Amino acid sequence: NTPHCLCVVKGVICTLYAMQLKHIVEASVVEVCEKRVEEYVKLQCSGVLDKAKLPSISTWLDHTFSPILYLFPSLPPPASFPRHTSSSWRPSLKWRREGRRIGRRISMHCAKVFASLRADELFDIIIEYPDSKVVVDELRHTLSRSRLHKYLIKQALVIFRKRLLHAGASSADILSQYISTIKVLVELDASGLLLETISTPIKEYLSKRSDAVRCVLKSMLEDQQSELAAAIREEAENARDKQLSAQMNAYRLDVWTPDVIDADSIATAESLFRESFSTTSAPSGGTGSGTGSSSGG
């Protein structure tokens, strides 16, 4: 990243741009940078579940790629492009726009690499929770950028079936893991969609084990594992809140539309009205008739 090397690289880039080979330059640079990002993220983050890594990765990205990416021109260079030999040369803003766009692309790729790596380690993150809470926070941030929720769900279901939902795991271990799973997934997604999707196979598997109910009762009665009861209550409250919210949305007045009234309904209503009117007016007529009959007698 010396100034002389930057000047040489900029000269090469400008020459290729002038030759209408912009797409080749960008594709090559992005490919090399993305591979370097993948290597660095995996080297620095794999297996490290108790320390924040995104700040150091962000600093590394700026330090490593910014001097190169800012060399990209936003427009084809003029034929008389000056050759810079001064060690104090810095690329102008006019020539940085293209580099910034490519830089954002590399930054997004970094977020995807980090999120996919942590998705592969989700089972270990859950085991280490709450010591891994800082990693959970970083995963939530990168998920919001990379939109890799489907990949996280897919990997979680595969890993859970392979490492937890099998005959070799005791019901007590599955329950303990289930508690941590609830906590981690609620941290990752407050809406509860991840929890509902990923925890469903665990609940279905537990329902098929004969000793599951006994383990649940035992865990709820023991003080050291009383968090199971809290987890179950929390999940029940979330389910009730979702149900109430759905009911409220269904009965909102601003979206309510009355049923269409057909001819039969109108005829029925008119018939009931006449019947009701004749019933209420009958006592009055009956009294007058009885009085006249009595006086005639």
Side-chain angles (χ1 to χ4, degrees):
N1 288 345
T2 62
H4 176 71
C5 291
L6 295 178
C7 291
V8 173
V9 172
K10 186 173 182 64
V12 174
I13 292 176
C14 291
T15 301
L16 293 173
Y17 265 61
M19 296 172 62
Q20 303 299 321
L21 297 176
K22 171 183 175 181
H23 60 286
I24 296 179
V25 177
E26 291 186 6
S28 301
V29 171
V30 169
E31 181 181 0
V32 172
C33 292
E34 288 182 349
K35 288 183 178 179
R36 183 71 182 97
V37 166
E38 293 172 8
E39 294 173 356
Y40 183 84
V41 171
K42 291 178 181 178
L43 178 64
Q44 295 294 320
C45 302
S46 294
V48 182
L49 305 178
D50 58 347
K51 297 179 181 178
K53 286 296 183 179
L54 288 184
S56 61
I57 291 176
S58 178
T59 301
W60 175 82
L61 284 175
D62 292 338
H63 177 75
T64 304
F65 298 113
S66 292
I68 297 176
L69 296 179
Y70 283 172
L71 299 177
F72 280 85
S74 58
L75 297 172
S80 58
F81 178 76
R83 295 181 177 273
H84 298 276
T85 56
S86 172
S87 60
S88 62
W89 172 79
R90 294 292 184 273
S92 64
L93 290 176
K94 177 181 178 181
W95 294 80
R96 294 182 183 182
R97 297 169 188 166
E98 200 76 10
R100 286 174 177 170
R101 182 181 63 80
I102 298 175
R104 287 192 295 269
R105 180 175 171 182
I106 295 174
S107 177
M108 177 60 70
H109 181 72
C110 181
K112 291 181 178 179
V113 172
F114 184 90
S116 61
L117 174 65
R118 292 312 190 195
D120 295 338
E121 297 177 328
L122 182 62
F123 190 86
D124 296 320
I125 292 174
I126 292 174
I127 291 177
E128 297 297 328
Y129 191 84
D131 294 337
S132 61
K133 188 178 185 305
V134 63
V135 176
V136 174
D137 294 336
E138 291 185 333
L139 176 56
R140 182 180 64 251
H141 173 72
T142 51
L143 278 177
S144 65
R145 290 194 61 197
S146 61
R147 305 296 182 184
L148 290 180
H149 296 83
K150 290 184 179 180
Y151 179 81
L152 175 69
I153 292 173
K154 178 182 176 181
Q155 289 300 103
L157 295 177
V158 171
I159 295 172
F160 271 77
R161 291 192 179 99
K162 181 179 179 181
R163 299 183 59 178
L164 186 67
L165 305 181
H166 54 78
S170 65
S171 296
D173 291 339
I174 297 176
L175 287 170
S176 176
Q177 190 75 352
Y178 179 54
I179 296 171
S180 298
T181 300
I182 293 175
K183 296 178 179 179
V184 170
L185 295 181
V186 168
E187 288 279 346
L188 288 178
D189 177 32
S191 68
L193 294 177
L194 284 180
L195 174 61
E196 183 178 356
T197 305
I198 297 177
S199 65
T200 297
I202 303 177
K203 292 184 287 187
E204 292 178 351
Y205 183 80
L206 282 172
S207 66
K208 299 176 183 179
R209 299 189 67 144
S210 58
D211 61 336
V213 175
R214 184 173 68 253
C215 289
V216 170
L217 293 175
K218 181 180 178 182
S219 299
M220 293 177 66
L221 293 175
E222 292 179 357
D223 292 338
Q224 59 182 2
Q225 296 188 16
S226 59
E227 58 181 357
L228 175 61
I232 293 176
R233 285 195 301 268
E234 182 178 354
E235 185 175 3
E237 290 174 359
N238 291 337
R240 186 175 63 251
D241 291 342
K242 290 176 62 178
Q243 184 179 7
L244 290 175
S245 178
Q247 292 176 350
M248 291 297 294
N249 290 333
Y251 289 103
R252 283 175 56 192
L253 293 178
D254 56 338
V255 297
W256 176 79
T257 55
D259 295 334
V260 179
I261 301 177
D262 54 18
D264 293 338
S265 300
I266 296 175
T268 302
E270 290 178 349
S271 176
L272 290 174
F273 177 77
R274 293 193 187 97
E275 187 176 322
S276 175
F277 180 79
S278 62
T279 302
T280 53
S281 59
S284 170
T287 305
S289 174
T291 305
S293 151
S294 171
S295 78

